[in-house]
């Protein structure tokens, strides 16, 4: 009786190269002989029809071909799900601190204090939080590309960063349990310091996990974007349930932070499971072999060359998040309903039409590239640039009706809600495409660096968009003509 193959996708002893077992041979197939690219899930890059005199690592189309017939597949989508979980983990710290805004502003800092500074902290808490989070995040994203922490291994960077985040969340939970009413100023500075440290670690973590995904077929970069948007949807639902149940602010915040703690612990656990999966081991070896072969010619990655090949996709990533973060959440959240009898009650209008709507449809948009990848890498910049028209559209909605000096031209709540859906859907879809295309622009050994560069421009887009929101708000509240 023939023995059935194992259903659990764990690596065999040969694949783990135990006791000197031979390394697997990586075979590539010419794309001109390929009749149906859909027959193999890894044949996702654009390939040239003429590869006779072209080096194997890079075809004339500008995209490296992947192995045409890998010996193993991602059974049960385990690698995809693990990277999706890490996508959740990259945004969980930020989302949980934002969700716990009422805990900080209305509980911890809402004390009978005569000092003016305490009221200043309460009034501009989210602004301070944004600066403390995004500035160290973008700096560490950039450093992670050029500085080889831990000898250049991604494992040290990813696990080390997540462990730091776990420690900070434990401290945050402890602070929630103690009475800080006698020292609100100290509590504020301790909180901001913890935000700085956790986002320094998160910058390295986020950048490294995109570099790791770049070793795999391009849909695995999409898995991280999908996970990040799933994280936003999850926290939006928590916010709505909190409003409905009206729990104790301190208790709710503790639950938020403990939830993030368990998600990060799951990220650590699943990361160590990756090398046991045949699919991941195969692509990791392909990349390591390419890096080893390249070391004889160069000891340092050619950063300028890599950027020159990926700058279009880096721009696409940057501009998608620049437009998105210009509108969401600060500008988006201050749009009020025109019709007080709108189907969504006023109490839930912003949580539903802003937070839940954006995050849910961004998550849906991140799923679409599983089936549709249009436009291709050459023309993706066109719809990405056209998204800038969304900014004046939202400016003409009912944003800050008591302060605005320009007229409200879009006075239909359904028209506003429809564009809110489009904002989330296009943000998730185009950001996923750009993050998927970027690693394919370079040779196999440079794909992790290309993925990290794309992640850096993602954070740059967020930082620039968040700050550009202030200018858009000023335009609405100022009569120039």
């Amino acid at each position: 009786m023939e023995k059935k193959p194992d259903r659990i996708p764990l690596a065999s002893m040969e694949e783990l190269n135990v006791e000197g077992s031979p390394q697997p041979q990586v075979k590539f197939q010419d794309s001109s002989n390929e009749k149906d690219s859909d027959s193999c899930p890894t044949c996702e890059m654009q390939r040239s029809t003429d590869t006779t005199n072209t080096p194997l690592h890079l075809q004339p189309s500008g995209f490296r071909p992947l192995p045409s017939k890998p010996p193993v597949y991602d059974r049960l989508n385990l690698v995809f799900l693990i990277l999706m979980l890490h996508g959740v983990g990259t945004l969980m710290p930020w989302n949980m601190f934002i969700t716990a805004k009422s805990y900080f502003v209305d509980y911890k800092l809402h004390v009978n204090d005569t000092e003016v500074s305490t009221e200043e902290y309460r009034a501009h808490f989210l602004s301070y939080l944004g600066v403390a989070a995004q500035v160290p995040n973008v700096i560490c994203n950039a450093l992670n590309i050029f500085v080889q922490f831990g000898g250049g291994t991604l494992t040290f960077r990813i696990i080390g960063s997540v462990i730091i985040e776990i420690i900070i969340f434990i401290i945050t939970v402890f602070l929630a349990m103690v009475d800080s009413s006698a020292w609100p100023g100290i509590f504020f500075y301790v909180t901001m310091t913890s935000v700085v440290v956790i986002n320094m670690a998160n910058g390295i973590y986020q950048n490294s996990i995109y570099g790791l995904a770049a070793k795999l077929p391009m849909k695995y970069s999409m898995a991280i974007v999908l996970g990040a948007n799933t994280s936003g949807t999850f926290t939006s639902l928590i916010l709505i349930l909190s409003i409905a149940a009206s729990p104790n602010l301190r208790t709710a915040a503790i639950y938020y932070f403990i939830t993030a703690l368990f998600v990060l612990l799951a990220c650590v656990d699943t990361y160590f499971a990756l090398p046991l999966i045949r699919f991941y081991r195969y692509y990791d070896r392909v990349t390591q072999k390419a890096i080893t072969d390249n070391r004889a010619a160069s000891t340092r990655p050619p950063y300028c060359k890599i950027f020159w090949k990926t700058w279009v996709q880096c721009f696409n990533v940057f501009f998608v998040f620049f437009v998105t973060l210009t509108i969401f959440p600060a500008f988006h959240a201050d749009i009020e309903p025109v019709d007080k009898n709108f189907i969504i009650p006023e109490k839930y209008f912003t949580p539903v039409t802003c937070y839940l709507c954006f995050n849910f449809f961004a998550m849906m948009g991140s799923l679409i590239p599983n089936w549709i990848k249009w436009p291709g890498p050459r023309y993706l910049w066109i719809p990405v640039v056209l998204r800038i028209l969304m900014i004046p559209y939202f400016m003409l909605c009912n944003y800050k009706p008591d302060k605005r000096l320009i007229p409200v031209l879009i006075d239909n709540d359904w028209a506003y809600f429809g564009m809110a859906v489009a904002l989330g859907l296009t943000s998730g879809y185009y950001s996923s495409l750009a993050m998927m295309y970027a690693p394919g622009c370079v040779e196999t050994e440079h794909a992790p660096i290309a993925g990290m560069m794309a992640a850096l421009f993602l954070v740059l887009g967020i930082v620039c968009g968040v700050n550009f929101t202030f200018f858009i708000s000023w335009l609405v509240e100022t009569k120039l003509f």
Side-chain angles (χ1 to χ4, degrees):
M1 183 175 179
E2 184 180 355
K3 185 179 180 180
K4 294 184 179 180
D6 294 337
R7 288 185 174 274
I8 302 175
L10 300 179
S12 64
M13 298 298 285
E14 289 79 8
E15 287 172 318
L16 291 173
N17 197 27
V18 176
E19 296 183 359
S21 59
Q23 294 286 339
Q25 296 296 319
V26 180
K27 297 182 180 180
F28 294 83
Q29 179 177 331
D30 192 309
S31 60
S32 62
N33 297 328
E34 196 173 294
K35 295 181 179 180
D36 184 6
S37 63
D38 293 334
S39 62
C40 173
T42 61
C43 299
E44 299 172 346
M45 295 293 185
Q46 293 185 2
R47 297 182 174 93
S48 171
T49 57
D50 182 15
T51 60
T52 307
N53 298 316
T54 306
L56 183 61
H57 62 271
L58 194 64
Q59 300 298 343
S61 61
F63 288 83
R64 58 181 168 87
L66 293 171
S68 60
K69 291 185 178 180
V72 289
Y73 294 87
D74 187 12
R75 297 177 185 175
L76 305 178
N77 287 314
L78 283 182
V79 176
F80 186 91
L81 293 174
I82 288 174
L83 289 178
M84 182 177 169
L85 176 63
H86 281 273
V88 174
T90 58
L91 275 190
M92 187 59 72
W94 168 255
N95 283 328
M96 286 307 175
F97 271 96
I98 293 297
T99 304
K101 174 195 170 186
S102 296
Y103 155 75
F104 290 110
V105 174
D106 299 328
Y107 179 73
K108 282 292 188 178
L109 298 176
H110 190 64
V111 294
N112 295 324
D113 193 355
T114 57
E115 293 186 16
V116 180
S117 59
T118 304
E119 185 60 32
E120 169 70 14
Y121 302 151
R122 293 184 68 248
H124 301 97
F125 180 79
L126 284 182
S127 298
Y128 288 119
L129 186 67
V131 173
Q134 299 303 334
V135 172
N137 194 319
V138 70
I139 291 173
C140 288
N141 257 276
L143 286 176
N144 190 56
I145 298 175
F146 303 105
V147 180
Q148 302 297 305
F149 296 108
T153 61
L154 291 178
T155 297
F156 177 85
R157 295 185 241 183
I158 292 173
I159 298 302
S161 300
V162 176
I163 289 175
I164 291 174
E165 293 184 27
I166 290 172
I167 293 172
I168 296 299
F169 268 114
I170 293 174
I171 295 172
T172 304
V173 171
F174 174 76
L175 287 173
M177 294 179 176
V178 300
D179 182 11
S180 61
S181 58
W183 35 280
I186 296 175
F187 172 80
F188 175 81
Y189 283 110
V190 171
T191 300
M192 290 298 116
T193 302
S194 67
V195 170
V196 169
V197 174
I198 203 170
N199 280 277
M200 288 174 66
N202 196 60
I204 297 173
Y205 172 42
Q206 183 183 44
N207 192 271
S208 298
I209 204 68
Y210 275 110
L212 181 144
K215 301 177 183 179
L216 306 170
M218 57 182 180
K219 80 170 188 176
Y220 291 87
S221 295
M222 180 204 72
I224 301 175
V225 179
L226 175 61
N229 291 324
T230 303
S231 174
T233 305
F234 178 68
T235 52
S236 298
L237 289 173
I238 290 179
L239 176 61
I240 293 172
L241 291 174
S242 298
I243 294 173
S246 297
N248 178 274
L249 293 175
R250 174 175 167 270
T251 304
I254 291 174
Y255 285 142
Y256 296 157
F257 300 139
I258 290 178
T259 301
L261 197 59
F262 279 111
V263 169
L264 292 173
L265 286 170
C267 289
V268 173
D269 189 43
T270 55
Y271 179 82
F272 286 112
L274 279 175
L276 301 177
I277 301 175
R278 293 191 182 108
F279 180 81
Y280 176 80
R281 288 286 302 178
Y282 173 78
Y283 281 100
D284 185 51
R285 285 187 172 182
V286 171
T287 304
Q288 293 302 324
K289 184 178 183 300
I291 292 174
T292 302
D293 294 343
N294 189 58
R295 277 176 181 167
S298 175
T299 58
R300 189 172 180 82
Y303 294 109
C304 293
K305 178 182 176 182
I306 296 171
F307 179 71
W308 177 253
K309 291 182 177 181
T310 60
W311 75 268
V312 174
Q313 302 311 322
C314 288
F315 167 79
N316 288 334
V317 172
F318 169 84
F319 208 73
V320 166
F321 282 93
F322 171 75
V323 173
T324 298
L325 271 295
T326 296
I327 300 169
F328 176 88
F331 195 89
H332 202 337
D334 284 330
I335 295 178
E336 300 180 9
V338 176
D339 183 6
K340 301 301 179 184
N341 297 317
F342 189 58
I343 190 171
I344 301 174
E346 189 172 358
K347 179 181 180 181
Y348 297 100
F349 186 81
T350 297
V352 173
T353 63
C354 176
Y355 296 105
L356 181 61
C357 175
F358 173 82
N359 287 301
F360 176 77
F361 284 100
M363 181 179 68
M364 292 296 102
S366 300
L367 282 171
I368 295 176
N370 267 321
W371 307 281
I372 301 173
K373 297 180 182 68
W374 184 89
R378 186 175 181 181
Y379 298 106
L380 179 60
W381 66 271
I382 297 175
V384 166
V385 171
L386 288 177
R387 287 183 78 242
I388 199 170
L389 297 176
M390 290 183 172
I391 295 177
Y393 187 96
F394 280 95
M395 289 173 64
L396 297 176
C397 292
N398 195 32
Y399 170 76
K400 288 188 177 180
D402 55 335
K403 294 183 178 180
R404 64 184 297 127
L405 295 178
I406 64 174
V408 177
L409 299 182
I410 301 174
D411 56 359
N412 186 296
D413 291 325
W414 285 109
Y416 154 70
F417 186 65
M419 188 55 73
V421 171
L423 176 70
L425 202 64
T426 57
S427 179
Y429 180 62
Y430 292 134
S431 63
S432 293
L433 284 182
M435 293 300 296
M436 291 162 66
Y437 289 153
C441 296
V442 297
E443 296 84 350
T444 302
E445 63 269 22
H446 298 147
I449 299 295
M452 291 179 182
M453 284 185 174
L456 171 61
F457 277 86
L458 184 156
V459 180
L460 281 173
I462 292 175
V463 172
C464 294
V466 167
N467 286 280
F468 193 66
T469 300
F470 295 107
F471 175 70
I472 297 300
S473 300
W474 176 80
L475 281 180
V476 174
E477 299 172 21
T478 305
K479 192 169 185 179
L480 299 177
F481 303 104

